[in-house]
Amino acid sequence: MSRQAIAYVHQTGIADETAKQVFLLLAQHTETAGDPYRPEDIPDIMGLNLNDSDIPGLAARTGIEPEEFRRQLRGMKQHVPMDVLEHSDGVWEIVYGPSYSRPPKPRAAKPDLTHGGPHPFWLPGWEKFSTWGYEQGPGGHQHLYAQLIPNQDGADAEPRIWITPPRHTVQTVDELAEAIAEALAPYQPVRMPASLIKTWLTTAPLSSR
């Protein structure tokens, strides 16, 4: 049980009581890092993977039918900004947190994303040494690259993650964000959506301004 996730649910102020009870149940099954006795330290990203076979038991705990529980999951985004992905293998991928409801404000001066670099990568835990940008390939073709280094590895460490040809040949920031999201998945308790990765590519946090 995550006290931080439960505290976040209460902060959202969901008016619909059934939706709130379903969300609280999801929070109880969410695992988060940090001190469990400091529920106010809410991570920016939280979530869980839910098997469809678990839904009848969860629905019974909230006093509703399994299909109504699924309907509540599908409609949860109407109450709280979040991602609810229903996969064909019966897994529900649910991701939520303050980064959805309180996105960083735009930077006063945005980086030039049409060429050049290196640009900083602002994802917490990776922001000290990781960079990305454009580079010229064979035949004069440009592509994007990223080299990502966890903060604890230090400035002289080899990147843990390289987004470069031939494995990755990406032309847009959206494509780069998707490639980084996939590469970071083994390092994260919950796979971070590419839309949030794009934010950390293009928008500095308030603390750095």
Side-chain angles (χ1 to χ4, degrees), residues 124-129 149-155 157 160 187:
W126 297 77
E127 78 278 15
K128 290 184 179 179
F129 313 114
I149 303 170
N151 292 351
Q152 70 268 19
D153 284 6
R160 296 276 190 101
Y187 297 90

Side-chain angles (χ1 to χ4, degrees), residues 71-198:
R71 191 185 72 81
Q72 289 290 334
L73 289 179
R74 296 182 184 112
M76 194 66 67
K77 292 186 291 185
Q78 299 175 10
H79 304 283
V80 181
M82 64 193 307
D83 278 330
V84 179
L85 306 177
E86 186 177 358
H87 297 292
S88 59
D89 60 358
V91 173
W92 295 73
E93 184 180 356
I94 302 166
V95 188
Y96 59 93
S99 286
Y100 282 81
S101 55
R102 299 192 302 272
K105 295 180 181 179
R107 296 179 66 184
K110 294 184 178 180
D112 181 2
L113 303 182
T114 60
H115 64 277
H119 304 299
F121 179 51
W122 297 106
L123 178 67
W126 297 77
E127 78 278 15
K128 290 184 179 179
F129 313 114
S130 299
T131 59
W132 68 278
Y134 284 76
E135 61 185 6
Q136 197 91 357
H141 298 292
Q142 278 196 336
H143 61 265
L144 287 99
Y145 73 91
Q147 53 182 37
L148 308 184
I149 303 170
N151 292 351
Q152 70 268 19
D153 284 6
D156 297 327
E158 286 293 317
R160 296 276 190 101
I161 295 172
W162 283 95
I163 307 296
T164 57
R167 182 176 180 183
H168 302 281
T169 302
V170 296
Q171 304 293 330
T172 68
V173 176
D174 287 329
E175 291 176 355
L176 181 64
E178 184 61 47
I180 291 175
E182 180 179 351
L184 282 175
Y187 297 90
Q188 305 286 338
V190 179
R191 187 183 188 275
M192 190 172 296
S195 58
L196 281 178
I197 294 293
K198 183 179 178 180

Side-chain angles (χ1 to χ4, degrees), residues 49-60 66 69-70 73 87 89-92:
N49 289 338
L50 183 68
N51 291 317
D52 194 74
S53 59
D54 296 329
I55 286 181
L58 296 173
F69 192 94
R70 294 183 182 94
L73 289 179
H87 297 292
D89 60 358
V91 173
W92 295 73

